[in-house]
Amino acid sequence: MNAKTMQWLLRREMWEHKGMLAWVPLALAALMIVIVTGVAITGHNATIQVDGVTTSVAGTTIELGERQQQRLAEGIVAVSPVGAAPIYLALAFMVFFYSLGALYDERRDRSILFWKSLPVSDAATVLSKAALALIGIPLLMIVVELATSLILVAIGLTALAIKGVNVFPQVLSHPQFWLGPLKMLSLLPVYALWALPTVGWLLLVSAWARAKVFLWAVGVPLATMIFVVWMQKGLQVAVNTQWLIEKLISRLLIGVVPGTWLMASDVAHRARDMDITANTRGPVAAFDMIYQSSWAAVATPEMIGGALAGGAMIAGAIWLRRRREEG
C-alpha cells in the first residue's frame, strides 16, 4: 500500500458519500446562521449575562461598564471556537453511521465484487475507511464549525455594536481569539485516538453482520449492560457495573462524541474544576483548562487501551472483509 493508493481510496470514499459530507454540515451551518441572524435583528428573548448580571438586548441600547465589556469580550473569545457546537454533535452521528455502513453497504449492493477485482488490498480499503472516519470527517467538520463560529461571532458583535456596545477591539486584539481555532484543530489527534475503539467496533460489526447491522452494533453492548446489571442486582454477583459501563460499553458506542475523553478517570477532576476556574480566572482560562485536560487524556489507560482495542478490531474487520463477499 502506497500513499497514492490511499489517496485514491480516500477520494473514492468522499465521492461515494459526498451528499453526507457536503450537505449535512452546510445545511447545519446555514440553519444556525439564519437563526442567529434572526435573533440579532429582532433581539427576541436574547440576553447577555456578565458577572452574574443578566441584561436583555431587546431594548434600543445596552449599557455596560468598561469592566463588563472586557468580561463580555473574554466570554465571546472563550466560546468563539465552539460557537457552532451542534456541528460537533452532527460529527458524532456522521462518523457513527458512516463507520456502521462502510463495509456492510458494499456487500449489500454487491459492489464489493467490483472493488475486489481491482488491485487494491482489503487492508488498504478498510484503513481508508477508518482514516476517513477518524481524520477526514472530523477535519471537515472542525473547519466548517470554525468558519460558522466566526460568522456567528461577527453577527453577534455587529448586533452589539448597533446596540451601543462595541467590543470588536477587545475581541479582535485578544490573542486567544486567533489561537482558539488552532487549538481546536490540534485536538484532531485526540479525537482520532479516543474514537478508535468505537470506529473499530462499528467497522468490525459492519464487516461481520449479514443483516440488521445497527441492531447488532448497538444491541450487543446494551444487552451486555443489562445482563451485568441483572447479575449484580438480581443475583447479587459482585460485578463492578459502573466500571464496565464507563470503560467498556460506553467506549464502543459514544467514543465518537467530541469531548467525551474528559470522562477519563485521570482528567475528570480537571473538567470538574472548570466552573471554579471560570469564576476565578475567567472564561479564557477555563477554555485553556479544557484544552490541557484533553491532551492529558492521551496518556490515560483508557485512551491507550482503547486505541489498542480499536486497532485490533480494525484488524478483525480486514480479516472478515477478506472472507466475506456475499450480500
Side-chain angles (χ1 to χ4, degrees), residues 1-10:
M1 179 178 62
N2 54 44
K4 194 172 182 180
T5 301
M6 180 57 70
Q7 186 180 17
W8 182 85
L9 288 170
L10 285 172

Side-chain angles (χ1 to χ4, degrees), residues 40-291:
I41 293 174
T42 63
H44 182 65
N45 290 335
T47 59
I48 298 173
Q49 187 174 30
V50 182
D51 291 339
V53 178
T54 302
T55 304
S56 173
V57 302
T60 55
T61 59
I62 305 172
E63 294 184 0
L64 293 178
E66 185 176 345
R67 182 176 177 278
Q68 287 179 311
Q69 289 190 23
Q70 186 61 37
R71 293 283 288 179
L72 175 62
E74 290 179 357
I76 294 172
V77 166
V79 302
S80 61
V82 293
I87 293 179
Y88 287 132
L89 184 61
L91 161 65
F93 282 98
M94 288 174 66
V95 172
F96 186 95
F97 285 102
Y98 166 77
S99 303
L100 193 61
L103 298 173
Y104 172 74
D105 290 344
E106 65 177 8
R107 287 187 292 118
R108 185 182 57 181
D109 60 18
R110 304 190 71 79
S111 62
I112 188 174
L113 299 176
F114 168 75
W115 296 116
K116 274 183 170 286
S117 68
L118 301 177
V120 179
S121 67
D122 294 287
T125 301
V126 175
L127 289 177
S128 69
K129 294 174 184 294
L132 185 63
L134 294 168
I135 299 174
I137 297 176
L139 178 60
L140 169 69
M141 297 299 278
I142 291 174
V143 171
V144 172
E145 196 278 340
L146 292 175
T148 307
S149 295
L150 188 61
I151 296 173
L152 298 183
V153 169
I155 295 172
L157 292 179
T158 303
L160 286 172
I162 294 173
K163 297 281 186 182
V165 180
N166 183 8
V167 291
F168 267 106
Q170 295 95 323
V171 171
L172 296 181
S173 62
H174 202 296
Q176 185 70 19
F177 181 74
W178 306 105
L179 289 174
L182 296 178
K183 289 180 178 177
M184 293 303 296
L185 280 171
S186 72
L187 290 179
L188 182 59
V190 179
Y191 178 85
L193 285 172
W194 186 257
L196 192 51
T198 303
V199 171
W201 165 249
L202 295 174
L203 288 175
L204 183 67
V205 176
S206 182
W208 171 79
R210 297 180 184 277
K212 308 276 189 306
V213 62
F214 178 82
L215 189 62
W216 283 109
V218 177
V220 170
L222 291 181
T224 304
M225 182 179 68
I226 294 171
F227 180 71
V228 296
V229 170
W230 172 76
M231 287 179 62
Q232 184 192 45
K233 303 295 183 183
L235 303 180
Q236 301 299 315
V237 177
V239 180
N240 190 342
T241 55
Q242 183 177 356
W243 183 91
L244 193 65
I245 293 171
E246 290 182 357
K247 309 302 180 187
L248 181 60
I249 296 176
S250 67
R251 297 300 308 281
L252 296 178
L253 298 178
I254 64 171
V256 293
V257 180
T260 50
W261 52 77
L262 295 173
M263 296 189 305
S265 56
D266 292 341
V267 298
H269 66 283
R270 294 191 182 200
R272 284 194 293 268
D273 293 339
M274 185 186 69
D275 287 340
I276 300 174
T277 303
N279 290 327
T280 57
R281 296 169 53 196
V284 174
F287 177 85
D288 281 339
M289 171 170 279
I290 295 176
Y291 178 73

